[in-house]
Amino acid sequence: MNLRRHKYLGALAALGVVAAAVAAPGAASADEAPGPTYLAPLHDAPASDGTTLVNETTGRWFVELASPPAAHGTAKARIAREQAAFRQAARAAGVDYTERRSFDTLFNGFSIDMDSSQLAKLRTTHGVTAVYPMVSLSVPEPQKASGPDMATALGMTGADVAQSELGLTGEGVKVAVMDTGIDYRHPDLGGPGSFPTARVAYGYDFVGDDYDASSPDAGKRVPRPDTDPMDCQGHGTHVAGIVGADGEVVGVAPEVTLGAYRVFGCDGSTDADIMIAAMEKALADGMDVLNMSIGSAYTWPSYPTATASDALVDAGMVVVASIGNSGATGLYSTGAPGLGEKVIGVGSIDNTHSRASSVVANPSGEAVAYTVLGDVAAPPASGTTDELVYVGRGCPSLGDELLADPAGRTALLVRGGCAFEEKYAVAADEGATGVVIANNAPGLFNGGGVVDRGVPGIGISQADGANLRDQLDAGETVTLTWTAEEIVVASPTGGEKSSFSSYGLAPDLSLKPDLAAPGGNIYSTYPLAKGGHATLSGTSMAAPHVAGAVALLLEADPGLAAQSARDLLQNTADPVLYAGTYVETVHGQGAGMIDVPAAHAATASVTPAKIALGESESGPVTTTLTVTNTGDAEVTYTLSSVDALATGGSTFAPGLYLAESGVELSTPALTVPAGGTAEVDITISAPGADPKLQMIYGGYVVLTGDDGSEYSVPFAGFDGDYQAIRALAPIGSGEDQLDVPWLARLTACGEFIGLDCIDPAAGYAKADGETFTLRWVDGVPDYPYVVAHLAHQVEDFEISVIDAATGKKSPTFALAADLGSLGRSGSAGGIQAFVWEGTVTRTNGAGRQVTRPVDDGDYRLEVRALKAGGDRSNPDHWETWTGPVFTIDRD
């Protein structure tokens, strides 16, 4: 029986939907030119022009040692000896650091606090194989609502069918939720009761209520663990409800056993090393599935939280992680641990429906859904407004005059032209007793940035705004009656990729995300102290849909291998459309939205379940697909392919393109005997776009069986020379361009910990030809810094010291020598800063690293960055910057 719910890929392939698409206005049609056709911007242009510096430097690091972790077979006694030897070598080398944690099971090494000035000594310390900057991770702010609408999300993935028709509930499966904890007293999660309960039977609090990794208060940056993982923030309880609530809200797998691994305090952020500690605890507790609705954007698959997650999969645990909410920052924005090679990285699809507060329009009696503008106080739950009057766009900054006097009345405006704050303010200042802003596009909106001026302010949909204006135009007196009621409204973007969901590819061009699930406008459980239920959006909400789906599949087949679970879900996923017409980017949705009934009913598998094509400079890529028939009858599959949308242009503000890849099949049909396998070769070539576009393209290979089944395999790659992407780039353009890298001095940070700069926008001043004393002056370190903007991820980052008198580099010394793969800047104005403390490291006659201070004199600093995917031996794959001469004078 075929239970695939949206069986349209094969039909799209037959129709050639992308190749036949209508060109954008002003562009050549597909018939006029074979090249890609521009369709639309990927997202709205960023509000900033990118010329404001944003300090993204860390003061925390992971140190990786040589042997694999214990999960990969190394004896813990050997790891202990290696770690003891490192501590001794670091002391001998004079490395000034504070050890935070040591790891041996999933990662062999340490997390430490250390100034970047120590990187040279650390990296050359015996036993160190890699150093990674440690990131802090935050949870999203909640958007509260009430009234269950999880049912629509369950229907999108078929989890409702899995429960009602297949009888799957997740019983007997243990799902770990690494997050802010779980309110285990919640009746939807098996409460009341004290921890552990029958439903929340495992867990640990690694941090305590007051912990905040990014707090300026040093005391709050210290974890204070205990045994009670109660959630005082909300995010983890919401995630747990999506996985397995059973009450007013019903989750994907309502009978799973949950584990609460708390890594956040009541507010603020956490650090990546705490995540690894929680992973090791989940493994020790024997959890079957781990959900991590946490991520650090712009990182590499080699980042410790990703490799530790891979080790969990090798140990038999299915690991699911959100891919990130950085879609608005452009491409290559996916994050670890979702980037892990063996992790299921999940993107978000908007829910088909959501709940909203409502008013009643008079005299029509129609319910009108609304959102509250910015920080404006919530409207009353009863009463009637003054009569409405339409006043136009309301943008005085653009020369607008109000079309009518709103004094003593409720002003109706239309969105567009200027900020919501300007519209609300002009109406309130003119005496309006209420402000209503109608959308200029379908659906509701969140009107941020509005300051309360003492009158209600709400946003309504475009359709409702038009209806109100029609009534006003007909001469009716229109008022609104406030209610405490909420209504379910259809989302205009329901079933489409969420705009916030991060885009791949991973910086090594592996295909991420892997899958997608509902994550936009999801109603779930929330701590009882905060109302009991809430609506949140994020890939954080998408990942637990997949974790719950895995639990259902494990209940049906306890022998399902951890890696096979991802393959199965990818083979049977349903790719979603963009604007209802074009197949959404593969690097935006992976294989598509999970389809639980189809995965359960599958009688075949296709491996590999995804194809990462890499860069096209070396030509077409041939992949052998193996089809395994686990059914009891022979099946013949017809093979086809369909292209998805491509992206091109700036990493931070790319555009969408229609692009046609070349797909050649070794056979148009493949017959697979019952219980047998068969192979087919797929050769894929890039669209051949203008190299300046630096295009990411993709599509799907589709197998349509004569038994009514359909399976698909996503593919994606980079069109052109990947090393053509500039990594060390200026910030901004034109007259406002900042030509970083800079030699700089710190001007505004008394304490340089993470992002705790007093004024990060003005924290550094260019320092050409200046003198440094290598002392602290008025609470600020007078040391030379290198400030760099990374427009793309780099494989390696080195800063060498050059004697200005001789022009020679200091032997064997590099300030951040072989620092390893660094993530790109998180914004068009993001910077990373590295300080030189005035020492060099040399190898003595005995082969040991010796660090000593340089003499006073004139020096330069040289930056070398190895491009992503670059060949270390190819000079063209390195970018180099040499700074100006500066003077060291300690007197």
Side-chain angles (χ1 to χ4, degrees):
M1 176 177 63
N2 174 42
L3 288 179
R4 188 154 185 169
R5 303 175 64 253
H6 304 292
K7 189 180 153 189
Y8 59 79
L9 268 185
L12 289 177
L15 292 172
V17 63
V18 171
V22 178
S29 70
D31 293 333
E32 292 171 336
T37 300
Y38 177 77
L39 182 66
L42 186 66
H43 52 71
D44 293 337
S48 169
D49 61 6
T51 58
T52 299
L53 299 185
V54 180
N55 186 358
E56 299 173 352
T57 314
T58 183
R60 305 179 181 101
W61 310 86
F62 281 109
V63 181
E64 186 173 16
L65 303 184
S67 294
H72 288 165
T74 306
K76 287 194 175 184
R78 177 176 175 176
I79 293 174
R81 290 193 297 270
E82 279 190 17
Q83 294 187 356
F86 162 79
R87 293 185 183 100
Q88 182 176 357
R91 283 194 298 270
V95 181
D96 185 8
Y97 75 97
T98 300
E99 182 177 322
R100 294 166 55 92
R101 295 174 184 270
S102 63
F103 303 98
D104 57 12
T105 304
L106 303 175
F107 177 77
N108 178 15
F110 304 89
S111 61
I112 64 173
D113 289 328
M114 185 190 72
D115 194 277
S116 62
S117 64
Q118 302 293 305
L119 283 168
K121 289 184 285 188
L122 174 65
R123 187 59 191 89
T124 54
T125 298
H126 179 72
V128 175
T129 60
V131 178
Y132 305 90
M134 188 165 65
V135 297
S136 295
L137 306 97
S138 300
V139 291
E141 289 295 320
Q143 177 187 343
K144 290 187 122 182
S146 62
D149 57 8
M150 260 295 287
T152 58
L154 295 183
M156 293 171 68
T157 66
D160 56 345
V161 174
Q163 293 174 12
S164 62
E165 298 184 19
L166 302 177
L168 298 176
T169 62
E171 184 179 8
V173 180
K174 298 192 293 186
V175 179
V177 176
M178 183 197 297
D179 215 291
T180 64
I182 297 175
D183 185 350
Y184 46 79
R185 298 170 304 178
H186 199 297
D188 290 7
L189 296 170
S194 58
F195 179 80
T197 69
R199 289 295 317 280
V200 186
Y202 302 88
Y204 189 74
D205 178 3
F206 290 84
V207 293
D209 287 357
D210 293 334
Y211 177 74
D212 179 1
S214 299
S215 174
D217 182 344
K220 290 188 175 183
R221 295 196 297 267
V222 178
R224 291 175 172 81
D226 61 56
T227 58
D228 185 356
M230 172 56 71
D231 182 10
C232 54
Q233 201 278 347
H235 189 267
T237 300
H238 195 276
V239 167
I242 297 171
V243 174
D246 188 14
E248 179 180 344
V249 166
V250 176
V252 177
E255 294 188 12
V256 296
T257 300
L258 294 165
Y261 298 86
R262 185 184 180 197
V263 296
F264 289 95
C266 296
D267 297 292
S269 61
T270 192
D271 277 323
D273 59 341
I274 295 175
M275 294 174 60
I276 296 180
M279 292 182 206
E280 294 190 343
K281 174 64 172 169
L283 179 63
D285 288 344
M287 305 306 286
D288 300 305
V289 184
L290 169 62
N291 183 89
M292 291 183 286
S293 289
I294 315 171
S296 49
Y298 322 116
T299 43
W300 286 75
S302 58
Y303 194 72
T305 56
T307 57
S309 298
D310 290 339
L312 278 179
V313 178
D314 290 338
M317 189 185 302
V318 180
V319 179
V320 181
S322 55
I323 208 64
N325 298 336
S326 299
T329 68
L331 308 174
Y332 309 102
S333 57
T334 51
L339 283 178
E341 178 187 358
K342 300 171 184 179
V343 176
I344 304 177
V346 185
S348 173
I349 305 298
D350 280 352
N351 198 347
T352 57
H353 292 76
S354 62
R355 286 200 161 246
S357 301
S358 68
V359 295
V360 175
N362 306 307
S364 68
E366 296 176 349
V368 175
Y370 71 84
T371 58
V372 178
L373 298 177
D375 294 328
V376 176
S382 61
T384 300
T385 68
D386 293 311
E387 65 176 291
L388 264 67
V389 58
Y390 178 63
V391 298
R393 188 172 61 166
C395 296
S397 64
L398 300 179
D400 291 358
E401 294 184 3
L402 298 183
L403 302 180
D405 182 4
R409 297 188 282 183
T410 299
L412 174 62
L413 302 94
V414 65
R415 181 183 183 182
C418 60
F420 299 117
E421 163 66 12
E422 183 174 347
K423 296 174 185 291
Y424 174 79
V426 68
D429 291 347
E430 291 297 322
T433 57
V435 179
V436 179
I437 300 177
N439 204 354
N440 58 357
L444 294 173
F445 63 92
N446 292 315
V450 180
V451 177
D452 191 3
R453 283 175 168 76
V455 298
I458 63 174
I460 63 175
S461 71
Q462 183 182 44
D464 285 333
N467 288 338
L468 292 176
R469 288 179 62 185
D470 286 344
Q471 294 174 50
L472 292 172
D473 291 343
E476 296 182 2
T477 298
V478 180
T479 61
L480 303 176
T481 298
W482 302 111
T483 77
E485 301 298 319
E486 292 185 330
I487 58 176
V488 175
V489 293
S491 169
T493 58
E496 296 183 4
K497 176 191 171 296
S498 302
S499 60
F500 55 75
S501 189
S502 293
Y503 287 88
L505 300 170
D508 64 351
L509 298 183
S510 56
L511 201 168
K512 289 288 178 172
D514 297 295
L515 290 158
N521 300 316
I522 305 299
Y523 181 84
S524 183
T525 47
Y526 212 57
L528 294 175
K530 294 191 172 187
H533 297 89
T535 294
L536 301 182
S537 291
T539 54
S540 289
M541 285 63 252
H545 278 91
V546 176
V550 170
L552 298 180
L553 296 176
L554 286 174
E555 178 192 6
D557 180 7
L560 181 65
Q563 191 64 47
S564 298
R566 184 177 74 176
D567 292 349
L568 175 59
L569 287 168
Q570 286 190 304
N571 284 169
T572 55
D574 303 318
V576 301
L577 301 182
Y578 170 85
T581 304
Y582 311 105
V583 179
E584 176 61 68
T585 55
V586 174
H587 52 294
Q589 66 169 318
M593 183 152 55
I594 59 169
D595 189 331
V596 181
H600 177 267
T603 56
S605 64
V606 187
T607 54
K610 61 177 180 177
I611 302 172
L613 299 168
E615 55 186 307
S616 68
E617 188 182 33
S618 56
V621 175
T622 299
T623 303
T624 299
L625 295 181
T626 300
V627 183
T628 301
N629 182 356
T630 58
D632 54 8
E634 177 182 274
V635 181
T636 297
Y637 295 95
T638 300
L639 279 70
S640 59
S641 67
V642 60
D643 286 304
L645 288 174
T647 57
S650 163
T651 293
F652 295 98
L656 288 169
Y657 288 81
L658 307 177
E660 188 173 1
S661 54
V663 179
E664 296 182 6
L665 308 168
S666 60
T667 178
L670 190 69
T671 298
V672 188
T677 63
E679 295 181 343
V680 58
D681 289 336
I682 313 291
T683 301
I684 303 174
S685 56
D690 183 339
K692 293 180 181 179
L693 287 178
Q694 298 176 342
M695 177 172 285
I696 301 176
Y697 67 99
Y700 299 85
V701 176
V702 185
L703 295 86
T704 304
D706 60 7
D707 61 347
S709 63
E710 183 176 291
Y711 304 95
S712 57
V713 176
F715 62 84
F718 182 88
D719 189 355
D721 178 8
Y722 188 42
Q723 287 71 51
I725 297 180
R726 187 175 180 182
L728 294 174
I731 293 174
S733 60
E735 295 181 356
D736 295 326
Q737 179 169 303
L738 302 178
D739 291 316
V740 289
W742 282 353
L743 176 71
R745 68 184 334 127
L746 196 62
T747 62
C749 283
E751 182 180 22
F752 191 62
I753 298 176
L755 303 182
D756 298 330
C757 189
I758 295 171
D759 184 3
Y764 297 92
K766 207 168 183 180
D768 293 355
E770 297 194 12
T771 298
F772 296 90
T773 63
L774 304 188
R775 294 189 177 93
W776 283 70
V777 179
D778 296 328
V780 177
D782 187 29
Y783 291 80
Y785 282 76
V786 170
V787 170
H789 169 66
L790 296 180
H792 196 66
Q793 288 90 339
V794 295
E795 293 272 4
D796 204 350
F797 191 84
E798 299 177 354
I799 305 177
S800 300
V801 177
I802 298 175
D803 187 323
T806 65
K808 295 180 179 179
K809 293 183 183 180
S810 172
T812 72
F813 173 75
L815 175 66
D818 197 19
L819 182 59
S821 48
L822 291 181
R824 73 162 172 85
S825 295
S827 67
I831 59 169
Q832 295 193 43
F834 298 90
V835 61
W836 181 46
E837 64 168 1
T839 61
V840 293
T841 303
R842 303 176 186 273
T843 303
N844 65 15
R848 294 181 178 177
Q849 303 292 329
V850 178
T851 300
R852 68 168 183 81
V854 298
D855 296 330
D856 288 359
D858 295 336
Y859 297 91
R860 295 176 184 266
L861 295 179
E862 179 187 83
V863 173
R864 297 181 73 228
L866 179 62
K867 293 169 177 280
D871 179 355
R872 185 175 294 273
S873 64
N874 185 342
D876 292 337
H877 290 178
W878 289 87
E879 293 184 25
T880 303
W881 170 86
T882 303
V885 175
F886 61 93
T887 301
I888 298 296
D889 186 355
R890 298 177 176 85
D891 295 333

